[in-house]
Amino acid sequence: MALVPVLLLALFFSLSVSGNAHPKVPAIYVFGDSTADVGNNNYLPDVGKANFLPYGIDFPHSRPTGRYTNGYNGIDFLARQMGLRMSPPPYLSLPKNTSNRVGVNYASGGSGILDSTQGNKTITMTKQIKYFATTNKSNIVLSKSIFLISAGANDVIAFVLNNTAPSNTQIERFCNTLISNYKNHIEALYNLGARKFGIIDVGPVGCCPFARRLFNHSGACFNVMNDLAVGVNDDVKKMLSNLSSTLKGMKYSLGSYYAALSNMIANPEAAGFKDVQSACCGGESLAGCTRTATYCENRNEYLLWDDIHPTQRAYEEAVLDIYSGSPPFVTPINFKQLVEE
Ligand SMILES: *[C@@H]1O[C@H](CO)[C@@H](O)[C@H](O)[C@H]1NC(C)=O
Ligand SMILES: *[C@@H]1O[C@H](CO)[C@@H](O)[C@H](O)[C@H]1NC(C)=O
Ligand SMILES: *[C@@H]1O[C@H](CO)[C@@H](O)[C@H](O)[C@H]1NC(C)=O
Ligand SMILES: *[C@@H]1O[C@H](CO)[C@@H](O)[C@H](O)[C@H]1NC(C)=O
Ligand SMILES: *[C@@H]1O[C@H](CO)[C@@H](O)[C@H](O)[C@H]1NC(C)=O
Ligand SMILES: *[C@@H]1O[C@H](CO)[C@@H](O)[C@H](O)[C@H]1NC(C)=O
């Protein structure tokens, strides 16, 4: 008796995962933090999760999935542009070692470029890459697949929380360590067959409600955090340019959440936002976006969903800038060109 529903469920799943009939890439592999996680953290014991309402309130069927926003995140919108229905599924949700036709998402909320950033709670970047190395990729052309990485914000936040007035020397040391780790991660993926990288930079984290509240009594953005994000992003840009001239066949596109979100903050009306400063969910409370938090009705008019993460609407806008846009939103080519090259 149970067999028929199980078969139907399996059919439904295979339809919904492949969804669109014309994926433009063989597969998408995703690495990074809560801006990219689509449910891996649901499987971890000791980490901040987003698998309860009101997270996911605007996802199909109002389903909380572990995405750290009210609906789809930026990776979902990028995947849709590439002809998938949404991000590939979270690694920890997959049956062991079946080859997945659309790719895999290894991202883990709270993780950083540095393994020391919440390293024993999350799936570190090193471990995400290790998981990729042992993933069954039979029948997938890796050289034409897209490798998305959205990371670095948690490293910046952790560094500034530990030292709110860092010296130039301390900043330089931090940036050098961060960049050399990032370079190692990208080289590791290259050595495993990756060629096309879609990298997303660190957004204006100093403008998140938590940073405004903690560090700027006027309620404006916390410049120390934003300046560090800008510094890190500049170094990532140089590092990628350097790497692509030494790693044969490497192609990349660097999308800027920093430019896209800063632009929305500076010109809210242009994108139809009414509030680019406060959190839709839990905005009134220090506890943040909890199960019992109140949340705004007009979610499409808010840039920020919770204390730190953009709304689905903001992600969608940012991805338009990154996928088919131009500098400063995306360099040296856009994601569409990366896919089509
Ligand atoms: C990898 O996946 C393919 C296709 O699903 C399957 O036939 C094969 O047995 C898998 N390989 C391993 C080692 O599990
Ligand atoms: C977790 O990481 C912290 C900081 O890196 C370290 O001090 C601590 O010993 C680690 N805990 C475990 C259980 O590994
Ligand atoms: C999964 O299968 C691949 C071969 O397709 C193999 O190389 C890899 O070691 C396997 N991973 C695990 C965790 O069993
Ligand atoms: C915190 O900052 C101090 C300098 O202010 C530094 O010595 C220490 O290593 C930092 N700790 C971490 C975990 O980054
Ligand atoms: C706080 O905001 C004001 C107004 O925008 C700005 O001039 C100041 O530099 C900010 N302070 C910090 C610590 O970021
Ligand atoms: C890029 O390469 C130049 C020239 O080799 C070097 O001076 C610079 O430090 C490199 N920068 C990064 C971020 O790798």
Side-chain angles (χ1 to χ4, degrees):
M1 283 300 282
L3 195 58
V4 171
V6 169
L7 280 176
L8 283 177
L9 195 64
L11 182 64
F12 173 77
F13 252 78
S14 61
L15 284 177
S16 69
V17 168
S18 56
N20 193 310
H22 300 291
K24 297 168 187 159
V25 295
I28 302 175
Y29 295 98
V30 184
F31 305 83
D33 57 25
S34 57
T35 57
D37 192 344
V38 292
N40 281 312
N41 278 12
N42 299 352
Y43 298 86
L44 304 181
D46 201 23
V47 71
K49 295 183 181 51
N51 56 353
F52 51 87
L53 288 170
Y55 286 95
I57 183 108
D58 297 311
F59 199 78
H61 312 294
S62 289
R63 190 161 64 89
T65 58
R67 286 167 173 79
Y68 294 75
T69 185
N70 56 313
Y72 291 113
N73 69 22
I75 300 297
D76 292 311
F77 287 114
L78 284 169
R80 282 162 76 135
Q81 293 280 0
M82 297 177 207
L84 276 64
R85 269 190 72 246
M86 60 177 95
S87 165
Y91 174 75
L92 293 180
S93 75
L94 294 172
K96 282 280 162 274
N97 221 9
T98 51
S99 174
N100 192 300
R101 293 196 313 290
V102 293
V104 182
N105 185 324
Y106 305 90
S108 170
S111 69
I113 292 164
L114 302 175
D115 287 352
S116 57
T117 300
Q118 303 205 62
N120 44 26
K121 295 184 176 165
T122 64
I123 314 171
T124 62
M125 185 79 75
T126 299
K127 200 160 175 194
Q128 291 177 31
I129 294 169
K130 220 169 256 164
Y131 283 160
F132 168 73
T134 61
T135 293
N136 182 346
K137 299 173 285 280
S138 65
N139 305 326
I140 290 174
V141 185
L142 285 184
S143 63
K144 290 188 165 31
S145 297
I146 300 289
F147 289 74
L148 298 177
I149 312 179
S150 180
N154 289 316
D155 306 285
V156 167
I157 291 170
F159 176 78
V160 177
L161 286 179
N162 175 53
N163 183 355
T164 54
S167 69
N168 287 341
T169 316
Q170 288 169 325
I171 289 174
E172 199 181 322
R173 202 179 306 134
F174 168 75
C175 287
N176 287 342
T177 308
L178 197 70
I179 295 303
S180 90
N181 276 266
Y182 212 165
K183 183 165 171 275
N184 290 343
H185 294 317
I186 291 170
E187 283 171 337
L189 287 171
Y190 177 90
N191 289 332
L192 292 166
R195 290 297 178 271
K196 292 184 167 192
F197 294 88
I199 313 277
I200 297 170
D201 76 2
V202 179
V205 277
C207 297
C208 290
F210 91 93
R212 294 179 189 258
R213 188 171 61 236
L214 284 178
F215 299 114
N216 199 323
H217 300 305
S218 72
C221 302
F222 180 39
N223 293 328
V224 175
M225 224 174 238
N226 279 351
D227 292 348
L228 185 61
V230 169
V232 163
N233 291 342
D234 282 348
D235 287 351
V236 168
K237 188 183 262 184
K238 287 182 207 127
M239 178 268 286
L240 288 170
S241 163
N242 279 6
L243 257 190
S244 69
S245 67
T246 57
L247 299 181
K248 196 165 168 282
M250 172 185 168
K251 297 186 174 71
Y252 74 97
S253 173
L254 175 60
S256 182
Y257 273 176
Y258 197 96
L261 294 170
S262 299
N263 185 41
M264 293 176 220
I265 292 171
N267 309 291
E269 313 78 25
F273 290 109
K274 295 230 164 82
D275 190 325
V276 293
Q277 186 160 345
S278 40
C280 167
C281 178
E284 308 296 313
S285 114
L286 288 181
C289 186
T290 60
R291 287 166 206 271
T292 54
T294 55
Y295 53 91
C296 65
E297 288 296 324
N298 49 341
R299 294 181 285 280
N300 285 341
E301 296 175 354
Y302 274 69
L303 182 86
L304 291 150
W305 165 244
D306 62 12
D307 240 2
I308 193 163
H309 303 104
T311 52
Q312 158 175 275
R313 176 74 211 299
Y315 276 128
E316 186 173 20
E317 288 290 324
V319 163
L320 289 178
D321 289 336
I322 288 172
Y323 194 80
S324 41
S326 49
F329 302 116
V330 59
T331 56
I333 56 173
N334 63 32
F335 279 44
K336 185 166 188 279
Q337 292 167 314
L338 179 73
V339 165
E340 288 169 359
E341 232 178 56

